[in-house]
Amino acid sequence: MEIEISRKNFLKWGSFLTAALALPKALKAKVLTPKEKPLPKLDSEAYKPALCKLCPALCMLQVRVVNGKAVGISGMSGHPVSLGTHCPKGGAILQDLYHPDRLRFPLLQKGPRGSGQWERIPWSKAHQILHDKLSDLLRRNAPEALAVLAAPIRDIRHDIQERFARLFGTPNFWEWNWPLAEAPLDAFKMMHGSSEGLFYDLQNANLLVSFGWDWLQSFPSPVEAQRAFSELRRARPERRVRIIQVEPRLSTTAAKSDEWISIRPDTEGLLALGVAHVLVRDNLYDRNFVSQWTSGFEEFKTLVLKEYSPQKVAEATSVKTQKISELAHEMARIQPALAITYRGSLFNQTAVHSLNALLGSIGVRRGVLATEAERYQLTLPAAYSSEPPKPPLAPSLHQVPEAILASTKSPIEVFWMERVNPVFSTPQSISWEKALEKIPFIASFSPYLDESSRLADLVLPPHHSLESWQYGFSRTLLGQGVISFAPPVLRPLYDTEDHGDFILNLAHSLGGPVSKALPWSTFVEALEKSAKRAQAEGQMREGGWWEYEAAKADIKSTLKTKSRKLRFSTKNIEPKPFAHEYPNFPLRLYVHTPLAFSFGEGAHLPYLHSLAGAHLGEQWETWVEIHPAAARRLGISDRQMVWVESPAGKILARARHYEGMRQDTVSLPLGLGHTSMGRYAQGIGTSPARIVEKRQDPSGQLLWQDTWVRVYGA
Ligand code: SF4
């Protein structure tokens, strides 16, 4: 029987329901007694400190533990980094702890590598296997055939691992670097003589011009970046700070800035040089600073005046000449103006940082400062000396696969990865997968069977950060050094092991210099000794932190070159042809990192999926942002499934019309598209890494934004 719901009978049914709900007499009534309430009995409840190690910010959290289970988290108030808050990723830490696909014991590959046939083995057997492999290398005097690829979070476990590699005698120890998420360390190093301690005084800026860095989403400390933004916006009501974002896409940072300058992908450096041209041509630069503190200015001046006129730059970047001129004049007027960028191409890094040099925005508050915070890091006691290492297999991390593939027999025989996933996190064209296939033995310390661990022989799940002693060193946006400690929140849930303990045991069983240099029986003992040296045993035992002074404004401390002057470089900013090499691929690809997947990680956590594409209501799939006018020309409707194809391959994505895209560019998010890594990540979406072309910079950085694509209906 169908009931037609008209307004009249809706009211009729409505009154009936209301009457039913208001029945005066119940047949049976029940009021729950406190005992019967379906709430767990709080036998025990505690709030425990913890350190979030999901990114290098190392926020301190407070974990609510009820009846032995971690049930809630909040930021630790007063901690200099978290200040009582955490980012969405930190908010998902309990999903990480209780993830149903976390590895629960060591695994040995039974069938051919990558076949997915695993056997559970005890830790003693895992230890023996690795011991035998490494002993064999030592016996054959081939220590360099061991390679270690470590996560870039600096703590005592990291130091134990690095010391192990050095004393074992291999020069092949590399640290991972996260895509699109670091400061321009290569330009800092080249121009200042060292990148150590240099940082942007972001939250005090007067005029902040970001050349391509979506810093609110992907700054090394998302929590602090958001706080810096509110400082910039609200803390100084007497003077509104100007924030300008130069980027191909209306990102979160661009949307929250005073001005968004839309630009072709990967041409931000050209724009910076166009601005430099105007500053020099119109005598707007800081002549005192340049003459007193820099070298190489005359060559720089000649080059920018000859090659980077606003007309030429406008043609390449699509930013109008008038805007280039206005930007230069504004940066000269509001002092000190701060030009920031990320660790992309050396060309872009150098060009942007040259603006800070021209404007005298170095060694001054609101500009670029140096901090000595790093010297407060805990260090392992028992200094050691080792043979001077031979040169590594490749000059930079991402040249390693090529070096392995170029030899008939892999020069690396034992490859050991710690919480890194190079197969997923780099463009497929870099061939980490093929290189790993060629290495005879791989061990992976990983909590999940990710794409790289799947190719390993041995997978060793470490304790979760909430299950083990934690120490971390981080630096606040003010340049303060912070060392933080947290004891385990819970006992380990599974048959996992402390990564530090495993390496120490391995060192002792191998004997020789590696054992002598790592004399502690457990990681906690090494941590205790290190904390004692810093008189921080109290913080270590109970959980807590030490903070050290913020950076001082001082130009000399930023300069580590022999001449004690900042070097302008022309070598890295020689003009390059702005060529469109692929006429069949008319669109540029711009890869962006949603906050939920900052550093390209986090897709295994369901909570983060729900936040990833919030501006378009997108979740649990990969979307490609395309300007509605460009989509119309291509006959692509909103929400249609499309192929995004580059010369390197093609992937499926859902087209989403987005006014915040340039018409000549489309954008894909980084972080989705796992083929492994557990039920919430595997098979969800596609990864732009599959179509990003293999392009490396002389600095060894991957060029994520230098790919041409075409888009068509699937
Ligand atoms: S910023 Fe977020 S992910 Fe990073 S340490 Fe803090 S809470 Fe964890």
Side-chain angles (χ1 to χ4, degrees):
M1 182 184 77
E2 277 185 18
I3 298 174
E4 196 194 331
I5 304 283
S6 64
R7 185 172 180 276
K8 193 171 156 204
N9 62 21
F10 172 77
L11 290 174
K12 195 169 77 190
W13 279 91
S15 338
F16 173 76
L17 286 170
T18 313
L21 288 172
L23 280 177
K25 205 164 132 212
L27 295 175
K28 209 172 172 191
K30 164 92 180 152
V31 175
L32 288 169
T33 64
K35 251 188 162 180
E36 291 166 320
K37 280 189 183 160
L39 285 172
K41 199 170 149 223
L42 301 188
D43 288 334
S44 69
E45 183 186 24
Y47 287 84
K48 300 193 177 183
L51 214 51
C52 176
K53 288 205 151 174
L54 295 176
C55 92
L58 305 181
C59 296
M60 183 161 271
L61 307 172
Q62 197 162 235
V63 183
R64 181 171 176 240
V65 182
V66 173
N67 297 350
K69 287 208 169 63
V71 298
I73 68 144
S74 53
M76 175 68 79
S77 71
H79 185 257
V81 181
S82 55
L83 280 185
T85 59
H86 57 75
C87 79
K89 206 180 231 182
I93 197 168
L94 297 186
Q95 290 192 342
D96 193 44
L97 173 70
Y98 293 117
H99 198 292
D101 298 320
R102 244 187 88 189
L103 294 177
R104 296 167 183 226
F105 36 76
L107 293 172
L108 180 67
Q109 185 90 246
K110 271 197 319 191
R113 284 237 300 259
S115 64
Q117 299 169 48
W118 299 98
E119 176 191 355
R120 176 180 184 166
I121 56 167
W123 280 95
S124 54
K125 185 168 176 187
H127 179 275
Q128 191 61 46
I129 292 171
L130 206 47
H131 167 92
D132 292 349
K133 296 283 174 196
L134 296 180
S135 298
D136 182 50
L137 295 187
L138 288 177
R139 192 179 45 74
R140 291 190 283 119
N141 196 22
E144 67 283 356
L146 165 69
V148 176
L149 180 52
I153 291 187
R154 293 208 73 91
D155 66 5
I156 293 292
R157 287 184 186 86
H158 178 284
D159 295 353
I160 289 175
Q161 182 167 247
E162 184 171 2
R163 189 178 283 196
F164 182 98
R166 301 276 176 244
L167 270 292
F168 188 82
T170 179
N172 295 313
F173 177 88
W174 289 289
E175 255 180 34
W176 189 248
N177 53 35
W178 279 301
L180 308 170
E182 282 184 297
L185 301 179
D186 307 299
F188 283 172
K189 190 170 175 193
M190 188 198 56
M191 295 174 74
H192 291 256
S194 166
S195 60
E196 204 173 309
L198 289 176
F199 71 102
Y200 295 133
D201 191 13
L202 201 68
Q203 71 187 49
N204 293 312
N206 273 341
L207 169 62
L208 178 62
V209 187
S210 164
F211 287 83
W213 196 0
D214 184 8
W215 57 274
L216 263 174
Q217 299 260 82
S218 61
F219 197 79
S221 170
V223 156
E224 288 205 286
Q226 313 272 338
R227 193 179 319 127
F229 178 78
S230 48
E231 285 282 322
L232 290 170
R233 277 286 171 260
R234 290 195 214 108
R236 284 176 274 162
E238 75 287 355
R239 183 171 47 82
R240 186 175 164 85
V241 173
R242 280 266 294 158
I243 304 176
I244 299 175
Q245 181 72 4
V246 178
E247 206 184 340
R249 169 178 179 267
L250 186 73
S251 61
T252 303
T253 310
K256 288 183 172 284
S257 296
D258 297 288
E259 185 177 354
W260 168 42
I261 300 178
S262 169
I263 190 168
R264 289 202 178 103
D266 207 32
T267 61
E268 298 89 354
L270 284 172
L271 177 63
L273 292 172
V275 171
H277 177 106
V278 178
L279 290 174
V280 173
R281 184 196 65 195
D282 298 353
N283 268 325
L284 296 170
Y285 65 97
D286 185 335
R287 282 185 294 282
N288 286 340
F289 181 88
V290 167
S291 66
Q292 193 178 351
W293 295 113
T294 70
S295 64
F297 174 68
E298 286 307 318
E299 298 98 281
F300 176 84
K301 176 179 166 182
T302 310
L303 183 72
V304 294
L305 288 180
K306 179 165 175 255
E307 299 291 349
Y308 297 106
S309 68
Q311 290 72 20
K312 267 193 194 172
V313 168
E315 211 176 295
T317 60
S318 83
V319 179
K320 293 197 165 53
T321 50
Q322 194 190 339
K323 176 47 66 189
I324 297 170
S325 180
E326 276 171 19
L327 185 57
H329 281 260
E330 186 171 10
M331 291 183 84
R333 195 175 62 251
I334 304 178
Q335 289 190 349
L338 177 59
I340 69 171
T341 192
Y342 66 99
R343 200 176 181 185
S345 72
L346 195 51
F347 182 97
N348 285 352
Q349 292 184 48
T350 309
V352 173
H353 194 50
S354 298
L355 290 180
N356 291 319
L358 281 177
L359 294 163
S361 304
I362 293 172
V364 290
R365 284 257 166 257
R366 316 185 195 295
V368 180
L369 293 174
T371 171
E372 294 194 341
E374 265 74 6
R375 76 187 154 106
Y376 299 114
Q377 284 190 68
L378 290 195
T379 48
L380 279 173
Y384 67 94
S385 61
S386 59
E387 298 288 313
K390 294 178 189 165
L393 177 63
S396 78
L397 171 65
H398 296 301
Q399 287 160 326
V400 173
E402 220 164 72
I404 292 173
L405 292 169
S407 338
T408 347
K409 190 172 159 236
S410 169
I412 300 299
E413 295 179 42
V414 178
F415 190 70
W416 148 352
M417 298 179 277
E418 181 237 337
R419 293 173 188 267
V420 291
N421 185 3
V423 172
F424 177 75
S425 310
T426 47
Q428 209 172 38
S429 50
I430 295 291
S431 306
W432 269 103
E433 186 165 353
K434 287 201 184 90
L436 291 186
E437 278 164 12
K438 214 170 154 188
I439 298 173
F441 184 83
I442 301 170
S444 175
F445 292 89
S446 170
Y448 295 94
L449 263 185
D450 57 32
E451 287 79 355
S452 307
S453 302
R454 274 207 172 274
L455 300 175
D457 299 275
L458 196 57
V459 185
L460 306 167
H463 295 331
H464 192 273
S465 62
L466 301 188
E467 298 167 338
S468 51
W469 286 87
Q470 292 301 329
Y471 151 74
F473 172 81
S474 48
R475 206 170 69 189
T476 68
L477 279 189
L478 294 170
Q480 272 177 298
V482 183
I483 57 176
S484 313
F485 297 93
V489 173
L490 309 163
R491 275 201 295 275
L493 298 172
Y494 309 119
D495 181 19
T496 51
E497 194 166 302
D498 192 297
H499 170 228
D501 288 350
F502 187 91
I503 299 172
L504 289 173
N505 283 336
L506 199 55
H508 301 156
S509 71
L510 288 170
V514 76
S515 174
K516 275 202 196 112
L518 297 166
W520 313 283
S521 48
T522 61
F523 161 73
V524 176
E525 189 191 336
L527 184 60
E528 258 166 9
K529 294 266 160 56
S530 311
K532 200 166 180 187
R533 274 154 57 97
Q535 297 172 340
E537 305 106 296
Q539 284 88 341
M540 188 213 140
R541 272 191 299 273
E542 303 300 328
W545 62 89
W546 270 24
E547 53 189 294
Y548 299 93
E549 76 262 31
K552 294 188 182 73
D554 166 28
I555 174 67
K556 285 187 185 155
S557 60
T558 72
L559 300 174
K560 303 280 165 32
T561 51
K562 270 195 193 138
S563 61
R564 291 280 159 181
K565 294 203 165 185
L566 186 138
R567 270 193 297 257
F568 274 106
S569 161
T570 48
K571 194 173 118 220
N572 300 316
I573 54 165
E574 287 292 343
K576 50 178 187 177
F578 180 74
H580 184 174
E581 297 163 37
Y582 306 106
N584 294 331
F585 297 90
L587 297 163
R588 292 297 295 261
L589 173 64
Y590 182 67
V591 178
H592 71 273
T593 319
L595 175 60
F597 302 142
S598 53
F599 311 102
E601 295 175 354
H604 62 297
L605 303 173
Y607 169 59
L608 298 180
H609 278 276
S610 60
L611 306 175
H615 62 301
L616 292 169
E618 276 298 322
Q619 46 181 290
W620 293 99
E621 64 177 356
T622 293
W623 67 96
V624 56
E625 293 170 7
I626 182 165
H627 192 278
R632 256 194 314 278
R633 279 198 298 277
L634 295 169
I636 291 170
S637 52
D638 192 24
R639 299 181 188 275
Q640 179 186 346
M641 290 308 289
V642 293
W643 287 107
V644 184
E645 183 175 357
S646 80
K650 63 178 184 176
I651 58 169
L652 264 181
R654 187 174 298 283
R656 292 309 315 269
H657 291 186
Y658 183 43
E659 297 273 358
M661 270 323 297
R662 295 171 55 80
Q663 294 199 28
D664 57 3
T665 304
V666 293
S667 185
L668 286 164
L670 190 67
L672 293 146
H674 280 274
T675 54
S676 193
M677 192 84 189
R679 68 193 71 180
Y680 305 120
Q682 186 171 346
I684 310 289
T686 46
S687 171
R690 288 178 51 197
I691 59 169
V692 165
E693 281 199 273
K694 176 183 179 169
R695 289 190 201 267
Q696 274 190 46
D697 195 59
S699 65
Q701 290 305 306
L702 298 176
L703 302 183
W704 285 88
Q705 313 294 20
D706 196 15
T707 297
W708 293 87
V709 294
R710 60 180 168 222
V711 179
Y712 50 93

